[in-house]
Amino acid sequence: MADSYTHAATSWWDEDRYPYSWEPDFADEVSPDLCSTCQNTIFKAPIWREMYMPPDELGERFPEYEGIHHHSYESFQCAVDQSCYICVELYNTLPVNFSEMTENMDSVKSEFTKWSINCPDGCGNESPNCGNFSVSLGSWTSDDQLQGLSIQFHLLRIDGKPTDIRSEALTLGSTNSTEAWNRANQWINECTAEHGCCAHLTSPGSVTWFPTRLIEIFGNDESETHIRLIETKETTPSGRYITLSHCWGNANMMRLERSKIEEFKAGIVNLPKTFNDLVIAARKFGIKYVWIDCLCIVQDEMSDWEIECSIMGKVYRNAFFNIAATASHNSHGGLFYDRLKSKPCTVILSAGKGREMFLLVDARQFERDVTNSPLLKRGWIVQERLLAPRVLHFARRQLFWECKKLSASETYPYGLPSAVHGDYLQQDLEENKKNSVVKKAPLYLLKFPLCRSYEEVEGVEEIDQKEVKLWYQIVKMYSQTSLTFSSDKLPALSGIAKFFQNGPRNTYLAGIWKAHLPHGLAWYRPYQTQETRLPRPEKYRAPTWSWMSMDSPITIAQDSASPILRILDAQTSPCTVDPTGPVSGGFLVVEGPLIPLTWKGHWLYKNQETIYGTSSWLDEPRSDTQLDEEIEFFALPLLQYDYTVWQNLNWHYQYVPHTCIAFLFLQPVQNHLGRFVRIGMGTAENTHNDDKLVMAKDLGDKLGVTYLGEERGYRLTIV
């Protein structure tokens, strides 16, 4: 028996306050692809009528509504078995072992699942977005894995007219189905034949470069498939190659070692599932050659690894396309997964102008299946995904496609709706694309035309600003990933770094561009969760002034600011001939005032006096028990931010000028006079602290720094 709409969920409803009348049967024609619970609860809420109220009646209220969805697990499971679109989408967010987690549950729960609806600002008769609603697990569970699991839908107005959003059903079966292969081939064929911005990328006649080694696939059919390793200088490939992005994980994985090269040339057998599935996929696409990092780079020989790592970006850039094992945690997870039938649907609501049709759009499809997947938590995937001309994601329940022209899924094969949330970088790049003045785009997947020749553009200064902004968007995303080997931090981004180099004018300094100093030093670690409280690695990786020295997520301040710090010299010492690879050292020679301060419990003090209007972020994590410990350091002014604040002065509001100073927090290196390490960053509103943020003038002998007067401060070295 279907769960019924309950008025208990509307206890806030006050007919005197909201005097207009409404009828409960708004959803006259709800899709048969929804269960009776979804039809009789979500789509009979009075909020759908409220969204169409005239602005003078609606006032400043933003309608919200919530209620019980399925009362029991049995009811929910029944709806899933009947392929209810909403319930299947929620079911797909649950852990694989969900049925085991619910074995000891009571058969009936008062609110196994619940729903909520809200009306965004601006929705109504003229808006294409008629609000959104979410469905989530109820409060019956205390399990951390289950709490907060939800799915969000947007209602997009169709008005009975053809819509640009074309959706398709997912068939019951797996991502290894005929329908999935047909869709993938359609994307590939259309991209190479019809996308003007993609067609020239690695077309059959344009393949003139190959990686050092490839895996060759041969045999009459899939049942007689054989593979072997080839050296491309010895055996010239006769066609295009594809690459694989995958998680290494902690499981034992097949690797190429120097002693196995001849064996692998004779033939490779007993492939782990992900690699075997890649071979199956390559044959489906008529591809004879694949590149897998652990099988094409000698893993026990550092010299080979360094050479191959330096050309890694070129490997992905010249591939026909990249296959991403997006849902797999390791090489044994595979590409293919079983899935339930799911069919996007429409509803007709009787409100406002009359009966109107709306499309239900799963707003977090891309975020859930791609952005938050195991693969995109891996550091190497950032450049693999961004540099490849095309990416085919094998996600948990469907395929996703990315190229310079199109982002799509099997559900939305002709383009993801704007309501479907991609990752933040993807959204930012789309906005940049609209405003770009550059005509050429070597960074294929970025969808941001990045200049390589200044003869092709107008406004070099504008391009520099866009490149800087784009770089730090990538840096922020990259810093949120993890690496199996901490030493890979610089190499795993070197392919993208090479794209941003424009000769000597843009020297690369371990993740920061010399041309963007001192602004590139304004990074900080904003998070204090247990997972992100990571100290600097014990083994040296980068200077402390570089974000590459950190293993935690970082943010870089990108607001317009005037430089205060004077940088006289900036250098790093690459370990190899690759300037974008690992470094063995680096330093900054700078001039500026040194202000002795104390940090304690997130507050800053000068001579035991609190400095107000400040923010501070320490690079090294501090546990809760360490918050009362005092840390003495020197604040070095870095940047000045000038802005105005709408402020009440004597009962009269007006814009008041404000100034904020960003500082580097430094400590002297023991037994090395004149040298300092960075320990954090902070800001202070100068309007509050003119009398406290004063340079000390007697530090020269004590710290081994050169005092240059009140205007210039001290000359010192940061390492």
Side-chain angles (χ1 to χ4, degrees):
M1 179 175 171
D3 296 293
S4 60
Y5 172 79
T6 170
H7 193 70
T10 64
S11 58
W12 58 268
W13 186 264
D14 185 340
E15 291 188 0
D16 293 330
R17 186 178 179 188
Y18 308 118
Y20 66 91
S21 61
W22 58 276
E23 299 176 6
D25 296 324
F26 294 137
D28 293 341
E29 298 181 25
V30 177
S31 170
D33 296 306
L34 297 178
C35 67
S36 58
T37 296
C38 289
Q39 295 183 39
N40 294 326
T41 58
I42 299 172
F43 294 103
K44 288 193 176 181
I47 190 172
W48 303 117
R49 171 84 64 181
E50 192 168 350
M51 288 182 182
Y52 287 88
M53 290 175 62
D56 56 338
E57 292 184 37
L58 186 62
E60 296 182 357
R61 292 184 299 108
F62 295 96
E64 294 184 0
Y65 213 72
E66 60 182 17
I68 298 172
H69 187 226
H70 285 283
H71 287 272
S72 67
Y73 174 69
E74 288 79 2
S75 173
F76 174 68
Q77 184 63 57
C78 181
V80 172
D81 294 340
Q82 295 173 0
S83 301
C84 169
Y85 177 55
I86 293 174
C87 296
V88 166
E89 295 302 292
L90 177 60
Y91 183 86
N92 285 328
T93 70
L94 304 178
V96 176
N97 62 337
F98 178 73
S99 59
E100 300 173 9
M101 300 168 74
T102 58
E103 283 181 355
N104 298 323
M105 285 185 353
D106 297 336
S107 59
V108 176
K109 294 288 178 182
S110 60
E111 66 177 77
F112 181 79
T113 54
K114 58 185 180 181
W115 54 266
S116 62
I117 305 171
N118 67 78
C119 174
D121 186 13
C123 73
N125 287 331
E126 304 304 322
S127 172
N129 183 359
C130 185
N132 55 68
F133 67 90
S134 62
V135 180
S136 61
L137 294 183
S139 58
W140 54 268
T141 177
S142 59
D143 193 298
D144 291 340
Q145 292 188 68
L146 301 181
Q147 281 191 339
L149 286 179
S150 66
I151 191 161
Q152 186 179 58
F153 291 88
H154 282 277
L155 271 73
L156 298 185
R157 179 180 279 110
I158 298 177
D159 283 336
K161 302 174 184 178
T163 174
D164 293 335
I165 302 175
R166 299 168 62 184
S167 60
E168 300 286 347
L170 293 180
T171 57
L172 178 66
S174 81
T175 49
N176 188 17
S177 65
T178 300
E179 292 81 3
W181 292 119
N182 288 343
R183 184 64 67 194
N185 271 303
Q186 174 194 329
W187 287 328
I188 294 169
N189 294 335
E190 289 183 356
C191 180
T192 54
E194 300 177 15
H195 296 174
C197 53
C198 300
H200 67 288
L201 305 177
T202 57
S203 58
S206 68
V207 182
T208 58
W209 184 91
F210 294 99
T212 306
R213 304 177 188 92
L214 286 170
I215 303 298
E216 182 181 28
I217 304 168
F218 58 98
N220 295 328
D221 53 43
E222 291 185 19
S223 62
E224 296 183 7
T225 297
H226 304 282
I227 67 170
R228 65 176 181 177
L229 178 72
I230 65 168
E231 304 263 4
T232 56
K233 286 186 178 180
E234 299 173 357
T235 306
T236 303
S238 58
R240 297 172 289 192
Y241 69 92
I242 60 175
T243 52
L244 173 70
S245 288
H246 66 108
C247 289
W248 281 40
N250 297 319
N252 291 330
M253 184 171 59
M254 180 179 286
R255 307 171 186 228
L256 175 64
E257 298 175 354
R258 176 57 64 181
S259 61
K260 293 182 179 180
I261 289 182
E262 295 305 318
E263 175 189 338
F264 279 22
K265 285 182 178 180
I268 305 175
V269 295
N270 299 323
L271 287 175
K273 189 174 189 308
T274 299
F275 300 170
N276 190 67
D277 288 353
L278 174 67
V279 172
I280 293 173
R283 297 214 66 152
K284 294 282 187 182
F285 298 127
I287 301 295
K288 291 177 57 178
Y289 305 97
V290 300
W291 188 89
I292 306 173
D293 52 6
C294 57
L295 299 185
C296 294
I297 300 175
V298 180
Q299 298 297 313
D300 61 347
E301 187 174 283
M302 182 56 68
S303 59
D304 188 78
W305 187 90
E306 289 175 350
I307 293 172
E308 295 303 312
C309 186
S310 68
I311 61 172
M312 189 83 72
K314 200 172 182 180
V315 170
Y316 284 90
R317 207 169 67 239
N318 284 275
F320 182 31
F321 61 91
N322 181 49
I323 284 184
T326 307
S328 178
H329 290 271
N330 53 51
S331 61
H332 301 284
L335 297 180
F336 313 129
Y337 291 87
D338 293 338
R339 67 184 181 194
L340 298 171
K341 178 183 176 182
S342 176
K343 183 179 180 181
C345 59
T346 58
V347 295
I348 296 178
L349 303 180
S350 295
K353 299 176 181 179
R355 299 169 69 238
E356 292 187 272
M357 181 178 292
F358 297 88
L359 177 68
L360 294 187
V361 175
D362 177 0
R364 291 178 177 163
Q365 179 188 103
F366 188 92
E367 176 186 347
R368 183 177 61 251
D369 293 348
V370 178
T371 304
N372 294 335
S373 67
L375 182 63
L376 264 68
K377 293 179 174 64
R378 175 178 176 259
W380 285 96
I381 185 58
V382 174
Q383 72 174 11
E384 295 170 6
R385 177 186 171 205
L386 296 184
L387 294 180
R390 308 166 184 89
V391 179
L392 179 62
H393 291 276
F394 281 79
R396 181 65 183 82
R397 63 193 192 94
Q398 63 177 310
L399 307 185
F400 287 81
W401 173 262
E402 291 183 297
C403 69
K404 188 177 174 184
K405 177 73 173 179
L406 178 69
S407 294
S409 65
E410 287 185 79
T411 304
Y412 304 107
Y414 304 100
L416 296 177
S418 59
V420 175
H421 303 158
D423 55 43
Y424 295 114
L425 175 64
Q426 190 181 60
Q427 296 173 33
D428 289 338
L429 294 172
E430 279 297 324
E431 186 62 30
N432 283 338
K433 180 183 176 184
K434 297 174 185 176
N435 301 321
S436 176
V437 297
V438 191
K439 300 177 182 178
K440 200 171 183 180
L443 268 177
Y444 308 131
L445 187 56
L446 288 178
K447 301 182 180 179
F448 175 86
L450 181 63
C451 164
R452 291 274 67 80
S453 170
Y454 286 104
E455 296 176 355
E456 300 166 354
V457 304
E458 298 176 2
V460 172
E461 184 176 344
E462 182 177 352
I463 297 306
D464 286 345
Q465 293 173 356
K466 287 180 177 293
E467 288 194 3
V468 166
K469 181 179 179 181
L470 176 58
W471 170 258
Y472 289 119
Q473 287 169 340
I474 295 171
V475 164
K476 181 178 179 180
M477 180 175 69
Y478 179 66
S479 73
Q480 296 170 358
T481 63
S482 60
L483 293 159
T484 304
F485 303 103
S486 173
S487 57
D488 288 351
K489 189 84 171 186
L490 277 155
L493 200 63
S494 65
I496 293 179
K498 288 180 175 66
F499 257 103
F500 282 80
Q501 285 183 308
N502 290 318
R505 61 173 293 280
N506 224 353
T507 304
Y508 186 67
L509 301 171
I512 296 174
W513 298 100
K514 189 173 183 178
H516 191 234
L517 292 174
H519 297 75
L521 302 176
W523 57 267
Y524 58 94
R525 186 176 62 87
Y527 307 111
Q528 276 292 338
T529 64
Q530 192 64 36
E531 293 77 13
T532 59
R533 288 179 178 176
L534 301 175
R536 282 190 170 92
E538 293 183 6
K539 187 176 181 180
Y540 183 88
R541 188 172 66 205
T544 59
W545 44 263
S546 169
W547 60 269
M548 279 285 190
S549 67
M550 303 294 297
D551 281 325
S552 301
I554 62 101
T555 294
I556 297 181
Q558 297 187 47
D559 297 329
S560 297
S562 303
I564 299 176
L565 185 65
R566 293 179 296 279
I567 298 180
L568 308 181
D569 195 7
Q571 296 184 30
T572 55
S573 302
C575 295
T576 68
V577 295
D578 181 5
T580 65
V583 299
S584 59
F587 64 85
L588 299 175
V589 178
V590 303
E591 287 183 1
L594 288 175
I595 306 168
L597 297 177
T598 301
W599 182 95
K600 182 180 179 181
H602 301 297
W603 287 94
L604 299 182
Y605 300 87
K606 176 74 177 288
N607 297 328
Q608 304 300 318
E609 191 174 349
T610 304
I611 303 176
Y612 295 101
T614 63
S615 298
S616 60
W617 304 275
L618 296 183
D619 296 343
E620 296 282 354
R622 309 292 292 178
S623 66
D624 294 338
T625 59
Q626 294 175 307
L627 292 180
D628 290 333
E629 297 179 10
E630 292 186 353
I631 300 177
E632 295 183 348
F633 64 93
F634 295 94
L636 178 67
L638 178 67
L639 300 169
Q640 176 174 314
Y641 298 90
D642 295 308
Y643 56 98
T644 57
V645 175
W646 186 246
Q647 194 169 331
N648 185 356
L649 296 178
N650 299 323
W651 304 100
H652 177 66
Y653 277 94
Q654 63 186 58
Y655 284 105
V656 179
H658 274 248
T659 297
C660 181
I661 306 295
F663 298 88
L664 294 183
F665 295 169
L666 306 177
Q667 284 184 336
V669 179
Q670 291 185 358
N671 303 321
H672 289 81
L673 290 177
R675 292 188 166 227
F676 293 76
V677 292
R678 171 187 156 135
I679 67 163
M681 179 187 161
T683 60
E685 292 189 25
N686 208 31
T687 48
H688 293 304
N689 304 294
D690 288 334
D691 59 334
K692 300 186 184 73
L693 301 176
V694 178
M695 173 179 63
K697 301 177 182 179
D698 56 353
L699 302 175
D701 294 337
K702 178 182 177 181
L703 300 176
V705 293
T706 304
Y707 181 61
L708 304 170
E710 290 192 14
E711 284 192 18
R712 297 171 63 185
Y714 294 92
R715 180 175 298 169
L716 59 133
T717 301
I718 309 174
V719 295

